[in-house]
Amino acid sequence: MNRHALSSMLVPVAALGSLTGCSMKPKDNKPEKKPNIIVIMTDDHTTQGISCYGSQLIQTPNLDRIANEGMRFDNCYVSNAISGPSRACILTGKMSHINGFTDNSQTFNGDQETFPKLLQKSGYQTAMIGKWHLNSDPQGFDFWSILLGQGEYYSPDFKENGKEIREKGYVTDIITDKAIKFIENRDTSKPFAMLYYHKAPHRNWMPAQRHLGIYNDITFPEPETLFDDYSTRGRAAKETMMEIANHMWNDWDLKIATPEELAGEYDDTRAADINKAEVARANQQSNGLQQLRAAYNRMTPEEKEVWNKAYAKRIEEFRTKEMKGKELISWKYQQYIRDYLATTLAVDENVGRLLDYLEQIGELDNTIIVYTSDQGFFLGEHGWFDKRFMYEECQRTPLMIRYPKAIKAGTVSKALSMNIDFAPTFLDFAGIEIPKEIQGRSLRPVLEHEGNIPENWRKAVYYHYYEYPSWHMVKRHYGIRTERYKLIHFYNDADYWELFDMQNDKNELNNVYGKPEYKKVQEDMTKLLYELQQEYKDTDPTEQTIQFFKGDDGANKH
C-alpha cells in the first residue's frame, strides 16, 4: 500500500460543507453579524508537508479542505523565521524591532496593543489555547490555556488562566479538546475569536500513539539538495549547525535509545538546569538522552510499550549496520521525515475534528478560519532541519483562509503577503479601525477579489533575523524577496550579500550577487531594500541587534 492511500485511510476526508455566496451585505436591515475568527497555527509546519501545496510526502485532506473551500496563498512570508518573534509579529501586526520581541530569549511586552485586545474591546469573546511561547502571560483573552515553554507531546503541562495543571494524553488532541470546549461554553450572544495554536510538528517530532511506526516501511524521496556542499554561497550556510549529518541528536531527534536506557529515573526538577546547559553545549548527545528520557517517562506503561515496539527496528538498524557518509545521511533523513510526517497526521485529524464540530453547530460558514505556521521548515533541503534562514523553505509559510461569505472557494493568490498582515485583516473584517502603528496590510482586498493583486500592492516582503549567536548558529541577516528575486545581507560578524534569481534557481544554490549580467537587478533590489527599511523604520538594524547582545554593564556578551 502506498503512503498516500495509507494516510488517507487514517485521516478520512471531511465531507465538503455547503458554500454560501460571497455577498456580505446585511439582509432585512438587520445589523450584520460579525464573523467569528479562528487562527489555527502549527509550529514548524512547512508547505512541503501539506498536500494542497503539492507535497509528494503526505496527504493532508483536512488542511486541504480549508484551501479547497477558501483561498491558498502561495507567497506568504514571515518577517523573522523563528517561533516567538513570529508569534509577536502576528499578534501586533508589527515587525520584530517595533514590537520588541526580536529573539526567543526575550519577554513579550503584553501591555502593547494586539489584535485580540482590540477584538475583545469591540465585543468579541477571546481565547488563546495551546502554544504561546512568548515568556509572558497572555493579555486580551477571556480564557487562556497555554503550554509551559515549548510544551511536551505526552502528558503536557498547561498554565490555564494563571493556574498550572498537567493533562493526560497527547498534546494535539488535548489542545483540540480545549478549543472545542471553549466554543461549547462560549457566550453565544457574542462573536468569538480563538487562537488555536499547536505544538506539533516541532522538534523532536513525537507522533501520537495511533501513528507510531506508521511510516516504518515507507521510503520517502530525498530532496534534490540533501547533499548540498554550500560551495556557491557565503559563510552563513557553511557555518550553521543544523545539518542532519552532524547536528541531529541520536537519542532526542532520531529516537535510538533503548528501553533500558530510557528506563533510568529522571528528576523533573533538573529539567530547567539541563535546558540552560544545552544552550552552551548544544551538540552534546548526553543531553539528548536526558531530554528523551524525561519525555518518555511522561508516558503510561501502555504507551511506553507501543513506543518501544515502534522504534525497535530503527534502534537495531543503527546499532548493527555499519553506515557512514551519504548512506548514513540518507538513513538519518528517513528517520527524521518519518517522525515529522507522522506527527503532522494528528494535526490534520484534529483540524478536521474542529471543522466538523463547527459545521455541526452551524458556525462553520460564519467563521473566518485561518491555517498557518509560525514559519516554514527544512525537510532535508540543503541537508538541513530547522529554520531561521531567509531561504525559501523556512521564510515561506503556509496560509489558507476559509470564509465563504467573502472568499470564493478554490482560489489561489500569488500576492506577496506577510504574517504582519494577519492582524489588520482580522480587524478589517470585524469592522474595527486599524491602528496607524500596525505595519501590515489587510488582505481583505485580495480575499474578496479571487486572489487578484491590487494595483497598489507591495512589490516585496521584508525580512530580518536576529538570533545569533545561539541555537543552530545562523548568522544575522536581513533582506527582501520580490516575485522573482531575493536579496540578503549577512552582517555582524560577517559582511556579505547574496542575490538569487528564483525563476532560474528555485533551490537558491547560485549566488549571482556581483555578476555583471545582474548589475541592474542588483541596483534595483538594493534601492528597494533601503526603501522598505525606511518604511518599516528598520534603518539601523546592526545597531539594534548589537544592543540586545550587550549585558547590563554594556560589555558585548560574545
Side-chain angles (χ1 to χ4, degrees), residues 219-369:
T219 299
F220 290 96
E222 295 178 350
E224 295 176 21
T225 58
L226 180 61
F227 303 111
D228 190 355
D229 63 4
Y230 320 118
S231 60
T232 55
R233 277 140 295 150
R235 288 173 51 197
K238 297 175 184 177
E239 296 179 13
T240 188
M241 297 174 66
M242 61 171 71
E243 295 174 19
I244 292 173
N246 299 312
H247 303 121
M248 274 192 163
W249 296 3
N250 290 341
D251 296 320
W252 178 243
D253 295 321
L254 299 175
K255 330 275 192 326
I256 59 170
T258 65
E260 292 74 23
E261 290 166 339
L262 292 173
E265 292 297 322
Y266 182 75
D267 184 357
D268 273 350
T269 61
R270 294 177 54 210
D273 292 332
I274 287 173
N275 288 334
K276 289 175 183 177
E278 283 172 9
V279 175
R281 304 190 302 274
N283 209 26
Q284 292 189 3
Q285 297 286 353
S286 59
N287 282 341
L289 176 59
Q290 293 281 27
Q291 280 193 286
L292 185 61
R293 182 179 294 157
Y296 179 80
N297 284 335
R298 285 176 172 269
M299 299 181 192
T300 65
E302 293 77 17
E303 288 172 336
K304 289 178 180 178
E305 186 175 348
V306 177
W307 177 279
N308 296 341
K309 183 178 179 181
Y311 288 102
K313 180 181 177 182
R314 179 183 302 187
I315 295 169
E316 181 183 8
E317 281 186 354
F318 183 78
R319 302 197 176 198
T320 59
K321 293 179 68 174
E322 295 184 4
M323 296 178 289
K324 59 183 179 180
K326 289 186 177 181
E327 181 188 12
L328 181 57
I329 295 171
S330 293
W331 185 88
K332 288 183 176 182
Y333 166 75
Q334 291 298 329
Q335 315 318 313
Y336 161 46
I337 203 67
R338 286 166 181 164
D339 285 344
Y340 181 97
L341 296 175
T343 303
T344 302
L345 288 177
V347 172
D348 189 75
E349 287 178 346
N350 278 280
V351 168
R353 187 155 68 99
L354 181 65
L355 294 176
D356 288 347
Y357 175 72
L358 289 169
E359 192 167 30
Q360 175 188 330
I361 64 172
E363 291 290 348
L364 180 62
D365 287 350
N366 190 51
T367 303
I368 297 172
I369 299 174

Side-chain angles (χ1 to χ4, degrees), residues 413 415-416 441-447 449 451-459:
S413 180
L416 289 166
R441 301 185 185 188
S442 172
L443 296 171
R444 187 170 180 175
V446 178
L447 292 165
H449 293 87
N452 292 317
I453 303 173
E455 284 187 20
N456 62 346
W457 198 248
R458 64 167 62 95
K459 303 301 181 186

Side-chain angles (χ1 to χ4, degrees), residues 464 478 491 533 537-545:
H464 195 159
Y478 56 83
Y491 69 97
Q533 288 185 321
K537 299 180 175 62
D538 195 20
T539 54
D540 192 5
T542 305
E543 181 61 22
Q544 289 166 354
T545 51

Side-chain angles (χ1 to χ4, degrees), residues 65-100:
R65 179 183 179 185
I66 299 174
N68 294 338
E69 298 179 9
M71 185 179 293
R72 186 189 79 216
F73 284 78
D74 282 356
N75 292 313
C76 184
Y77 294 90
V78 297
S79 50
N80 187 350
I82 189 170
S83 180
S86 179
R87 294 160 194 271
C89 289
I90 290 171
L91 282 171
T92 63
K94 298 182 289 189
M95 304 291 285
S96 297
H97 65 284
I98 300 295
N99 68 48

